[in-house]
């Protein structure tokens, strides 16, 4: 039987956003009012899709509640037929958009609670062949591939911020990690600093002794490290947006949440403006490649006791910021030693 969309697609989408069209499997519930999706649970999907030169493509899709995804495609009867990618997912007018670093895929919701692949024109495929992925509950796959990110190591713990998603992954300490550790210590500029790293890795879903289950990163092969380098800083993706502060050096996230006004920045051309949590600010910004320089920053002088500590820290990092890095939906600032100073999340586009 051909895989087709329900005639009442719009009503199905509305139901999906509430509880899912299927009684046996629940779709991720998404809220896109602030830009990035927020889902209530993780969900896996699977299907064997057509292949022109092989029996089929085993396709496994994991949609995570934080708006990221892992996609693994295994071409049957091919010894090297595994293709994996990770990226960000969004729902847009009833379409599931998978945005990877080098590839964008579109799917449409089906009445079975799954997703139907779109053709190259972005239209749902109607065929006697199977082009849909069906819900499987939460069965995360191990995903292997090449990734670029910002590696940090301190106090016998390492983490890796993947560039395309901005997700931070704990690193699994194995024998393979030891050679990476030696390279990191020889290349990093200071303890706990970040080092741009390209490597072949495997992502594994692990339940740690403490904390919630999550993906961990296992190093398979280190390709290269690039000191004084970030994930990139494309001006066209950064300017004309408002960026809310979500991470500040030596500041707890609860302190930011408690502020009446969250600090933010926005810039156009060479002018930056924003709010420090208590006062309005404005100054100049120079962004050349990954290099960042903020200067002549002035602010109003109102005193707010609740925001005073955060405001002082925020104003100090404006003088230290030396590197800019776009990591998924996050804009991060680093100092000259590649210590992480602050991170912002994009909120809304400005007219």
């Amino acid at each position: 039987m051909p895989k087709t969309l329900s005639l009442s697609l719009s009503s199905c989408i509305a139901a999906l956003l509430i509880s899912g069209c299927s009684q046996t499997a629940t779709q991720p519930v998404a809220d896109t009012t602030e830009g990035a999706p927020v889902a209530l649970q993780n969900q896996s999907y699977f299907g064997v899709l057509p292949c022109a030169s092989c029996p089929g493509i085993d396709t496994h899709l994991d949609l995570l509640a934080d708006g990221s995804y892992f996609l693994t495609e295994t071409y049957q009867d091919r010894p090297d037929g595994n293709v994996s990618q990770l990226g960000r997912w969004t729902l847009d007018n009833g379409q599931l958009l998978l945005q990877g670093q080098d590839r964008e895929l579109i799917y449409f919701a089906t009445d079975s609670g799954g997703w139907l692949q779109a053709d190259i024109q972005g239209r749902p495929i109607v065929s006697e062949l199977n082009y849909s992925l069906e819900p499987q509950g939460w069965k995360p796959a191990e995903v292997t591939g090449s990734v670029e990110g910002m590696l940090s190591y301190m106090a016998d713990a390492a983490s890796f911020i993947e560039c395309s998603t901005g997700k931070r992954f704990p690193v699994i300490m194995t024998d393979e990690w030891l050679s990476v550790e030696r390279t990191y210590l020889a290349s990093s500029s200071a303890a706990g600093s970040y080092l741009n790293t390209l490597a072949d890795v495997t992502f594994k879903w692990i339940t740690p002794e403490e904390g919630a289950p999550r993906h961990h990163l296992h190093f398979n092969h280190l390709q290269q490290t690039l000191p004084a380098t970030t994930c990139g800083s494309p001006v066209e993706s950064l300017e004309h947006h408002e960026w809310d502060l979500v991470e500040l050096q030596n500041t707890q996230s609860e302190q930011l949440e408690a502020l009446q006004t969250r600090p933010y920045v926005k810039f156009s051309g060479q002018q930056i403006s924003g709010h420090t949590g208590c006062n309005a600010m404005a100054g100049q910004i120079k962004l050349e490649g990954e290099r960042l320089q903020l200067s002549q920053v002035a602010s109003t002088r109102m005193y707010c006791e609740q925001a005073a500590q955060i405001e002082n820290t925020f104003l100090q990092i404006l003088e230290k910021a030396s590197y800019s890095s776009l990591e998924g939906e996050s804009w991060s600032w680093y100092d000259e030693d590649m210590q992480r100073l602050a991170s912002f999340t994009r909120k809304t586009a400005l007219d």
Side-chain angles (χ1 to χ4, degrees):
M1 292 293 290
K3 297 289 184 178
T4 60
L5 290 175
S6 167
L7 294 178
S8 58
L9 177 60
S10 60
S11 62
C12 180
I13 293 299
L16 282 171
L17 295 179
I18 299 173
S19 61
C21 289
S22 171
Q23 296 296 320
T24 59
T26 303
Q27 290 280 34
V29 179
D31 174 6
T32 57
T33 55
E34 292 296 326
V38 178
L40 297 182
Q41 65 179 38
N42 303 327
Q43 181 75 309
S44 301
Y45 303 85
F46 181 80
V48 181
L49 304 188
C51 174
S53 58
C54 69
I57 306 172
D58 295 333
T59 304
H60 186 113
L61 172 64
D62 291 325
L63 297 183
L64 282 91
D66 61 6
S68 63
Y69 75 86
F70 290 81
L71 177 67
T72 300
E73 298 167 302
T74 303
Y75 289 74
Q76 297 177 359
D77 292 348
R78 292 188 186 177
D80 57 348
N82 283 347
V83 178
S84 300
Q85 72 175 57
L86 68 158
R88 305 291 301 178
W89 66 264
T90 57
L91 284 176
D92 183 14
N93 294 325
Q95 298 179 14
L96 175 67
L97 306 179
L98 304 183
Q99 296 176 309
Q101 194 163 17
D102 303 312
R103 186 183 179 196
E104 182 175 293
L105 297 172
I106 301 175
Y107 291 85
F108 291 84
T110 68
D111 55 4
S112 66
W115 299 103
L116 178 68
Q117 192 175 34
D119 61 20
I120 58 175
Q121 280 80 39
R123 302 170 302 189
I125 296 177
V126 179
S127 171
E128 293 291 335
L129 302 175
N130 176 63
Y131 283 93
S132 66
L133 304 177
E134 299 301 325
Q136 302 288 314
W138 180 237
K139 300 177 181 179
E142 288 194 358
V143 179
T144 298
S146 248
V147 294
E148 179 186 6
M150 304 296 291
L151 175 64
S152 177
Y153 176 61
M154 185 169 61
D156 293 328
S159 65
F160 186 91
I161 300 175
E162 196 274 326
C163 285
S164 69
T165 62
K167 289 188 64 170
R168 183 187 295 271
F169 297 94
V171 173
I172 303 172
M173 300 297 185
T174 62
D175 291 342
E176 290 82 4
W177 160 251
L178 296 177
S179 63
V180 180
E181 178 185 333
R182 288 191 290 268
T183 301
Y184 172 88
L185 295 175
S187 303
S188 60
S189 53
S193 63
Y194 285 78
L195 179 65
N196 183 273
T197 302
L198 183 64
D200 298 323
V201 304
T202 297
F203 294 98
K204 301 183 178 183
W205 186 260
I206 293 176
T207 301
E209 293 183 3
E210 297 182 2
R214 59 181 301 188
H215 281 105
H216 289 60
L217 183 146
H218 175 272
F219 277 96
N220 300 323
H221 172 67
L222 178 64
Q223 296 184 26
Q224 64 175 348
T225 58
L226 295 172
T229 303
T230 70
C231 289
S233 190
V235 173
E236 65 276 8
S237 298
L238 294 171
E239 66 177 346
H240 308 304
H241 292 276
E242 190 172 287
W243 296 87
D244 283 345
L245 183 67
V246 293
E247 180 183 342
L248 182 64
Q249 192 177 57
N250 301 322
T251 301
Q252 300 295 322
S253 59
E254 293 80 6
Q255 294 176 270
L256 293 175
E257 294 293 339
L259 291 182
Q260 185 173 0
T261 301
R262 179 178 287 272
Y264 69 88
V265 295
K266 58 184 178 182
F267 80 96
S268 177
Q270 295 185 347
Q271 300 299 314
I272 190 169
S273 60
H275 203 277
T276 64
C278 179
N279 290 280
M281 53 156 280
Q284 295 185 1
I285 182 172
K286 186 177 181 181
L287 189 57
E288 294 181 346
E290 300 171 351
R291 296 293 295 189
L292 172 67
Q293 182 179 2
L294 303 169
S295 61
Q296 299 182 28
V297 176
S299 67
T300 54
R301 296 185 176 275
M302 184 171 62
Y303 177 74
C304 306
E305 182 175 358
Q306 182 189 25
Q309 179 182 352
I310 290 176
E311 182 178 53
N312 289 336
T313 303
F314 186 57
L315 291 173
Q316 290 172 8
I317 72 164
L318 296 178
E319 301 176 1
K320 300 178 182 178
S322 301
Y323 289 94
S324 167
S325 182
L326 183 61
E327 300 157 0
E329 296 296 313
S330 297
W331 183 21
S332 298
W333 295 356
Y334 297 87
D335 66 13
E336 197 65 41
D337 290 326
M338 295 304 293
Q339 301 275 4
R340 191 177 175 94
L341 298 174
S343 184
F344 306 81
T345 186
R346 184 166 55 196
K347 187 166 71 175
T348 55
L350 304 177
D351 295 331

